[in-house]
Amino acid sequence: MAKDRQAAIAQMKESVVKLGSSTEKYGDATLLRFLIARSMDPKAAAKMFVEWQKWRASFVPSGRIPENEVPDQLEARKAYLSGPTRDGHPILIILASNHFPPSDVLQFKKFVVHLLDKTIASGIKECEVGDEKLVGLLDLQNISYKNIDARGLITGFQFLQAYYPERLAKLYLVNMPWIFVSVWNFVSRFLEKATQEKVVIVKNDEDRKEFVKEVGEANLPEEYGGKAKLVALQDVKINHGPLQS
C-alpha cells in the first residue's frame, strides 16, 4: 500500500508540472490529502491541487486572513476553539444562535478561511504529520428563523471540500430543532459522499454519551458534557506563519 501511495504521489507531481505548476514547496503528506480527496486519481488530484494553489494565491495572497479583515464576524462571537480531542484534533465550535446571514458576503468568506486556518494551525503540534484535521461542532440550540443561513452553510462546506481536502475529521450537529431539519436536508445535497459520512447528528442522550466518549471529556467544553471552558476564536493566541498546506 505504501508503494502504491508513493507511485500515486510521483504521478501526481508529474501531472502538476504538466499543468504548469510545481509541488516543490509541499510535502508528500499535503499531496496525499488531495489524492485521497480524489480517490487516489493522480490527474484529478493534480487538477484539484493546482486550482487550490491559484485560489490561495488570489484569495489569501499574504498566506492568512488577519482579524482586521473580518471584524463584524468576530464581533458576533459565534466561533470557539477547544480541544484537542482524544485523537489530537482541535475542536471548532460554532454557536448558530449568534450567526445571522451576512450583508457582507466577501467578509464572511474571508471569515471562513480565517477560522479554518486558525483552527488547523492550533492543532498542528498535537496531530501527527499528515493528520492535521479538525473536529467541528455546530450547536443549533436556541436558533430562530433569523439565524438560519443555508447559503452560508453551503459556502462553508464548499470551501472545505474544494480548498481544505481531508481537513475535516468529523462534524457533530447538536441540539437540532425541528425548524432546521428541512434546511439540513437541503444543505446536505451539496455535500460530497465523503463529507456526508463524517457528519454525525446527536439526537438523544445515548448519542451524546457516544459523542463525549469519542471526543474525550477532558478538553470538551462543559456545555457539551466535558470539563473545559468555551474560548472565543479571537481569544486564542497562536504563534504561526502563513498556512501553506
Side-chain angles (χ1 to χ4, degrees), residues 5 9 26-33 36 87-89 120 123-133 166-167 245:
R5 286 191 170 190
I9 289 172
Y26 306 93
D28 288 354
T30 295
L31 305 184
L32 185 59
R33 291 193 293 104
I36 293 173
D87 294 326
H89 302 136
I120 293 165
I124 285 178
K125 290 183 179 180
E126 302 289 342
C127 300
E128 295 183 8
V129 175
D131 192 36
E132 300 91 350
K133 300 181 180 182
E166 292 301 301
R167 288 300 200 186
S245 59

Side-chain angles (χ1 to χ4, degrees), residues 52 55-56 59-66 81 90 92 109-124 132 134 159-160 163-164 167 233 238 240-245:
W52 167 76
W55 167 80
R56 194 84 192 176
F59 200 77
V60 199
S62 67
R64 63 194 302 181
I65 301 291
L81 278 181
L92 172 62
K109 289 181 177 180
K110 287 185 175 182
F111 177 66
V112 171
V113 173
H114 174 80
L115 67 87
L116 289 176
D117 281 0
K118 188 168 184 178
T119 301
I120 293 165
S122 74
I124 285 178
E132 300 91 350
L134 66 89
F159 272 48
L160 264 173
Y163 307 127
Y164 294 84
R167 288 300 200 186
L233 181 73
I238 298 173
H240 63 81
L243 182 66
Q244 296 294 341
S245 59

Side-chain angles (χ1 to χ4, degrees), residues 193-211:
K193 182 180 179 181
T195 303
Q196 291 180 357
E197 292 174 347
K198 296 174 182 177
V199 177
V200 177
I201 300 177
V202 180
K203 300 177 181 178
N204 50 47
D205 289 342
E206 185 176 339
D207 289 348
R208 188 174 288 269
K209 288 181 181 178
E210 185 62 25
F211 153 65

Side-chain angles (χ1 to χ4, degrees), residues 7-23:
I9 289 172
Q11 292 173 36
M12 178 183 169
K13 289 180 178 179
E14 292 177 3
S15 295
V16 169
V17 172
K18 290 179 180 178
L19 291 172
S21 190
S22 171
T23 61

Side-chain angles (χ1 to χ4, degrees), residues 74-83 90-98 111 115 119 122 135-137 139 221 223-224 229-236:
L74 288 173
E75 186 178 355
R77 299 184 77 82
K78 56 188 164 188
Y80 294 78
L81 278 181
S82 189
I91 306 170
L92 172 62
I93 301 165
I94 302 296
L95 302 186
S97 59
N98 288 355
F111 177 66
L115 67 87
T119 301
S122 74
V135 168
L137 193 162
D139 186 350
E223 289 81 352
Y224 308 104
K229 301 292 184 181
L230 271 177
V231 181
L233 181 73
Q234 58 266 46
D235 295 333
V236 177

